[in-house]
Amino acid sequence: LLLEPQRTNLITYSEDFSNAAWYKGNVTIDSNAATSPDGTVNASKVIPDTSTSNKLIQISANVVSGEIYTYSFFAKKSGYDVVRTYISALGINTGSWNLTTGTAPATAETYIEDWGNGWYKCIAVGTANTTTANCRVYVSVSSGNGTDGVEIYGVQVEEGSYATSYIPTSGTTVT
């Protein structure tokens, strides 16, 4: 029996990274490219281009300044094995989550959970210092090859000091 408090995923497109709500910087998105932790072929592959600029996806979420939030997402190595995050409103600029060794960054309040089959749930917790959280996921390579990438699934921002079960969204926040 899973007992959790009621939470709301503040990310409006938690799985559809090709949606215009997601900013894509120097990456392409291959939608429905892999089987996600829920067993469905609905995970996306984020593929860095060959430039030397930052490679990232970003979406904003409305938060309340002074409240604690948890940011989480699932990631899997698909050629590259390191992701970083930056969550502006939470003041969190993490180091690297290693998707080969399953290690979390030593910076900020971060955690990593092994979900099997190469998938990891990356989690960061912080207190909002503004009202808009720009949530970024970087693929940590200086120059991509246009083929390799990182598989991403289930981005979530929720008020609270720990991650609850993933809440899918498709255009609006969901409680």
Side-chain angles (χ1 to χ4, degrees), residues 11 18 71 80 87 118 173:
I11 299 296
S18 64
Y71 174 58
Y80 299 122
I87 310 102
T173 63

Side-chain angles (χ1 to χ4, degrees), residues 122-133:
C122 304
I123 304 164
V125 180
T127 301
N129 56 20
T130 186
T131 58
T132 302

Side-chain angles (χ1 to χ4, degrees), residues 113-130:
E113 298 174 353
D114 187 340
W115 278 63
N117 197 29
W119 282 101
Y120 291 94
K121 187 173 185 179
C122 304
I123 304 164
V125 180
T127 301
N129 56 20
T130 186

Side-chain angles (χ1 to χ4, degrees), residues 27-42:
V27 297
T28 56
I29 304 296
D30 186 0
S31 298
N32 302 320
T35 303
S36 73
D38 76 2
T40 307
V41 179
N42 59 355

Side-chain angles (χ1 to χ4, degrees), residues 81-85 94-99 103-107 110 112 140:
D81 62 355
V82 175
V83 293
R84 296 181 300 115
T85 59
T94 70
S96 300
W97 271 288
N98 189 305
L99 305 176
T103 53
T107 60
T110 58
I112 192 164
S140 291

Side-chain angles (χ1 to χ4, degrees), residues 10 19 24-26 59 93 97 114 142 146 150 163 165 172:
L10 302 174
N19 187 280
K24 292 157 275 295
N26 303 303
I59 195 166
N93 189 1
W97 271 288
D114 187 340
S142 58
V150 172
S165 297
T172 61

Side-chain angles (χ1 to χ4, degrees), residues 22 25-26 46 52-58 71-76 80-87 92-99 103-108 110 112 122-124 134-142 150-152 155:
W22 282 92
N26 303 303
V46 179
T52 56
S53 301
N54 282 332
K55 288 104 175 66
L56 66 113
I57 57 174
Q58 173 182 302
Y71 174 58
S72 62
F73 61 95
F74 294 90
K76 181 178 180 179
Y80 299 122
D81 62 355
V82 175
V83 293
R84 296 181 300 115
T85 59
Y86 172 74
I87 310 102
I92 297 174
N93 189 1
T94 70
S96 300
W97 271 288
N98 189 305
L99 305 176
T103 53
T107 60
T110 58
I112 192 164
C122 304
I123 304 164
N134 292 313
C135 306
R136 298 178 190 157
V137 177
Y138 294 89
V139 179
S140 291
V141 294
S142 58
V150 172
E151 293 167 9
I152 301 287
V155 175

